Amino acid sequence: MSTAPRAFWMPFTANRQFQGAPRMLVAAEGMYYRSADGRRILDGTAGLWCVNAGHARAEITAAVHKQLATLDYAPTFQMGHPLAFELAERLAAVAPPGLDRAFFTNSGSEAVDTALKIALAYHQRRGDTQRTILIGRERAYHGVGFGGMSVGGIAKNREIWQRSLLPGTDHLRHTHDLARNAFARGQPAHGVEFADDLERLIAKHGAERIAAVIVEPVAGSTGVLVPPKGYLERLRVLCDRHGLLLILDEVITGFGRTGQTFAAQTFGVRADLLTCAKGITNGAVPMGAVLLGTPILDAFMQGPPAEIDLFHGYTYSGHPVACAAALATLEIYEREALPQRAARLAPRLEDAAHGLRGLPGVIDVRNFGLVAAVELADEPGRAPTRAYEVFRRCFEQGLLVRATGNVIALSPPLIVEDGQIATMLTMLAAAIRATP
């Protein structure tokens, strides 16, 4: 194999730039990757927000191997297999109260599009046929399906396909308020009033025409935007007042990242629908899910028993191997109390991250749970490149971080040790100092 094979068109990558200096990972275990040149790379990002229990867990490997040898694939259209039902029950046991049903997908993008379709179909089934508008938020990331892009709010993810996105969507203002909230520890003090922007959209469209509002509890891909105190609670009140469904997109925050299994539990906010993926299998096998409650499901159970409830699904919904990986993963989370471990480690990550304040170009540090972000000043008249250079220098030192725009994000596996947190921030600080 050549140093930089060219047949693979890499996602979300400047492919020509990568070809000039490829970064190849060939193995992983625990908190570390191994690069093609034999170096250990400390994983500061849990892969891509997904390897919450650390890499190469023997329990997950054994569960996948056993399942492949027992039942490698089974369709779930008009058929079933035990593991899908077992996993749905297991998720209901750890989900926020009332979310006792699961619809399985293969990714976060699919989970979001599924949740949007369920929300629209729910109102249709109830005879509320005017409710067809979906509300997202500026700077949000909800995957790359056309539904997720339509309610998403990251400009670069939308611009090429702008004219082909869903017409019945609109967006709340984002909550990023650097002037008032820079260097906030945890939830910013200012900004609950951003939730009231929903009233503007209700006045614009009419409450009777809006089906659902979708937000990330903590917006990850846009640069770790933590909700202001009271913001999510206020959105819940407004949705209840006007009969709107609230969808919480927990593809990133799910499975321990905020100190509880789901951020909805951490913030004490009820979701009507909740999307998850990534950490559901510890990143070992692609899988996602939409969690919902019996009241929503019941709206689909009013017709003849032989009628298909929802004309939607995927060939690999509830794939046996993915279910086996997920069940093994959930067992690890519970046995090792990883969400609680994240809660204990969060203050250490917070202190270490905020220790970067005052470094050249650092204009903000944000954190919540076991997530932190460092925002770097934009270079006047240029596309943001400083964070990419920091990312590149970190990798050369032996640390994997995430660069998005001019923000560096850290989201280490929940098994991270105190000393590894200190090492990450020391290496990140050195990379920032070395980047003009």
Side-chain angles (χ1 to χ4, degrees), residues 167-191:
T169 58
D170 211 334
H171 296 81
L172 298 162
R173 293 174 61 194
H174 66 73
T175 62
H176 193 205
D177 189 346
L178 205 56
R180 294 191 296 171
N181 292 325
F183 299 102
R185 289 174 173 254
Q187 286 189 268
H190 306 285

Side-chain angles (χ1 to χ4, degrees), residues 332-349:
I332 292 171
Y333 292 156
E334 180 178 13
R335 185 179 68 248
E336 298 183 7
L338 291 186
Q340 295 87 339
R341 178 181 175 81
R344 291 196 304 273
L345 288 169
R348 282 122 190 223
L349 180 60

Side-chain angles (χ1 to χ4, degrees), residues 39-179:
R39 296 180 302 118
R40 288 211 311 171
I41 308 295
L42 182 57
D43 186 0
T45 60
L48 198 58
W49 309 88
C50 51
V51 188
N52 292 352
H55 294 276
R57 296 299 302 249
E59 305 95 314
I60 301 173
T61 301
V64 167
H65 182 271
K66 179 180 178 181
Q67 190 57 43
L68 280 169
T70 305
L71 179 66
D72 58 344
Y73 173 77
T76 52
F77 295 7
Q78 308 290 347
M79 302 289 291
H81 66 86
L83 262 64
F85 292 91
E86 182 182 350
L87 177 58
E89 293 287 344
R90 186 73 183 85
L91 287 169
V94 299
L99 298 180
D100 53 3
R101 298 290 188 270
F103 191 106
F104 292 119
T105 68
N106 309 292
S107 68
S109 292
E110 290 183 1
V112 165
D113 276 20
T114 297
L116 298 176
K117 291 176 78 172
I118 290 173
L120 292 170
Y122 166 76
H123 290 297
Q124 294 287 317
R125 285 284 191 151
R126 295 173 67 246
D128 217 346
T129 57
Q130 292 188 78
R131 289 190 183 270
T132 59
I133 293 173
L134 300 165
I135 304 297
R137 187 169 58 189
E138 296 169 349
R139 295 190 61 174
Y141 180 72
H142 297 296
V144 294
F146 272 90
M149 285 194 300
S150 298
V151 294
I154 297 179
K156 279 290 184 182
N157 291 355
R158 295 165 52 91
E159 62 182 6
I160 294 177
W161 302 279
Q162 187 70 48
R163 294 184 180 181
S164 301
L165 298 180
L166 301 183
T169 58
D170 211 334
H171 296 81
L172 298 162
R173 293 174 61 194
H174 66 73
T175 62
H176 193 205
D177 189 346
L178 205 56

